Amino acid sequence: MEDVMQHYLLSVITPTDGQMPSPDEMAEIVRKLGIFHDELQAAGAWVFAGGLHGPETATVLRPKDGDVLITDGPYAEGKEYLGGLCLIKAADLDAALEWGKRATWASTLPVEVRPFMNTAED
């Protein structure tokens, strides 16, 4: 019987009051993330990854009175926001946490690891 791989979301948490890295620091982060993504692909754990623009670029859609209300950005005030994500396949939570550790070192930011509710199939 073949092992079933779970899908996990690695969420890169960006502080709202954080300073943007210098161009040289950003180039090094991008380089390290490239290595991390290559390792994921080589291990067969890669599904998708990408960075996100800041929350000020978001549009929120909400159901309201039988219609959909469209507004600029989220209104919740927070100290952090989702700065990027990586969707991976891993045998279990421990394996996903190991990938999350690597993502933290590559991105220099906190990473939340969260399993999807259902087992995904290729």
Side-chain angles (χ1 to χ4, degrees):
M1 184 174 141
E2 187 177 321
D3 290 335
V4 177
M5 300 290 274
Q6 285 287 132
H7 281 168
Y8 292 85
L9 178 67
L10 308 182
S11 304
V12 179
I13 301 169
T14 304
T16 57
D17 62 351
Q19 294 255 336
M20 285 296 295
S22 72
D24 287 344
E25 291 169 325
M26 190 57 144
E28 181 63 11
I29 292 168
V30 169
R31 185 189 72 76
K32 288 179 179 178
L33 285 170
I35 292 168
F36 171 65
H37 293 159
D38 290 345
E39 290 173 349
L40 282 170
Q41 290 173 354
W46 170 271
V47 176
F48 173 81
L52 297 170
H53 288 282
E56 69 280 358
T57 66
T59 302
V60 178
L61 297 98
R62 290 185 174 86
K64 183 171 180 164
D65 301 327
D67 200 0
V68 176
L69 178 65
I70 301 173
T71 60
D72 291 337
Y75 291 108
E77 292 185 28
K79 294 182 181 182
E80 302 170 325
Y81 65 91
L82 179 62
L85 58 94
C86 185
L87 181 61
I88 65 166
K89 294 184 284 187
D92 55 30
L93 180 59
D94 289 335
L97 291 173
E98 286 302 315
W99 286 116
K101 288 178 187 177
R102 291 179 181 188
T104 295
W105 286 114
S107 69
T108 70
L109 293 168
V111 171
E112 176 186 353
V113 176
R114 190 184 303 189
F116 280 82
M117 293 176 83
N118 297 315
T119 301
E121 297 180 22
D122 290 337

